[in-house]
Amino acid sequence: MAKSPEVKVAVFGRAGVGKSALVVRLLTNRFIWEYDPTLESTYRHQANIDDEMVSMEILDTAGQEDLLQKEGHMRWGDGFVLVYDITDRSSFEDVAPLRSLLEEVRKPRHVPLVLVGNKADLEHARQVATEEGERLAADMACAFYECSACAGTAGTVGTAAGTVAEAFHELCREVRRR
Ligand code: GDP
Ligand code: MG
């Protein structure tokens, strides 16, 4: 049997947007409320994507790296999940500069990415409209998901948590298309 393809995924976004919670959700189907915000970890995850087993190596960045570290992570990854928090406009405003840096570091290559608006369960505190996320994703020519690391059941398509897996899977597809 052929060796399953490997995809290196780096998760970026301001500290506190829920990067660790999303990764833990993807891996364990659990939500962990408190997670050391300064921690940077890599995880291995296997998933069946379109009838093929794909091995992901996932880098959960801390979101407070200096430029040099950030650039290193950007060189390491094959694909990138850019996360913001729908209840924190400034985290949304961080996305475009991240994307610019990615383009700069990776040029002239195409940069596979997906945009994720997390904490969709906190509708009452929303600061970023769904349409704004959609527009930004259209500008960046990437897929867009609103999701929640803590609501619903991961793996159940159509729920906010099911969307977490969808986002990572779509990123793997995008990487493998190139
Ligand atoms: P990181 O710094 O981006 O890794 O963010 P964390 O994963 O550490 O999450 C930061 C805070 O947001 C923690 O208190 C989490 O419990 C909370 N959090 C993460 N994801 C969600 C979510 O989808 N919904 C809600 N309500 N809280 C979340
Ligand atoms: Mg974290």
Side-chain angles (χ1 to χ4, degrees):
M1 206 175 87
K3 192 169 173 292
S4 63
E6 293 235 358
V7 179
K8 291 188 187 129
V9 176
V11 185
F12 279 100
R14 169 179 288 226
V17 296
K19 298 178 296 298
S20 301
L22 286 171
V23 171
V24 168
R25 177 58 126 161
L26 177 75
L27 267 64
T28 68
N29 202 6
R30 283 202 199 98
F31 178 65
I32 295 174
W33 274 105
E34 288 310 327
Y35 214 80
D36 183 346
T38 61
L39 212 69
E40 175 191 300
S41 326
T42 55
Y43 303 87
R44 288 200 157 271
H45 178 62
Q46 292 220 329
N48 186 329
I49 304 174
D50 308 329
D51 292 325
E52 182 175 43
M53 284 310 285
V54 176
S55 292
M56 286 178 238
E57 196 174 337
I58 301 172
L59 171 65
D60 171 26
T61 68
Q64 17 185 253
E65 293 83 0
D66 62 29
L67 187 62
L68 208 66
Q69 288 171 305
K70 238 185 228 164
E71 289 178 352
H73 294 155
M74 289 176 171
R75 269 186 225 100
W76 174 87
D78 299 316
F80 305 88
V81 180
L82 303 187
V83 185
Y84 67 93
D85 169 355
I86 69 152
T87 71
D88 176 8
R89 174 157 293 277
S90 59
S91 74
F92 181 68
E93 287 163 356
D94 276 1
V95 172
L98 268 176
R99 158 63 162 27
S100 305
L101 186 60
L102 267 170
E103 293 272 302
E104 203 182 300
V105 169
R106 309 284 301 204
K107 89 184 154 205
R109 287 201 286 163
H110 167 78
V111 186
L113 43 94
V114 294
L115 178 65
V116 169
N118 190 36
K119 308 199 186 180
D121 53 297
L122 301 179
E123 190 56 46
H124 59 278
R126 181 189 282 276
Q127 289 185 356
V128 183
T130 303
E131 297 70 41
E132 294 178 274
E134 287 170 349
R135 224 175 296 135
L136 179 59
D139 283 349
M140 305 195 300
C142 72
F144 170 62
Y145 302 88
E146 275 194 356
C147 65
S148 165
C150 72
T153 310
T156 310
V157 175
T159 66
T163 310
V164 176
E166 271 177 54
F168 280 83
H169 291 189
E170 182 55 29
L171 178 61
C172 289
R173 289 191 192 99
E174 179 67 14
V175 167
R176 307 216 49 231
R177 272 196 279 269
R178 307 283 155 178

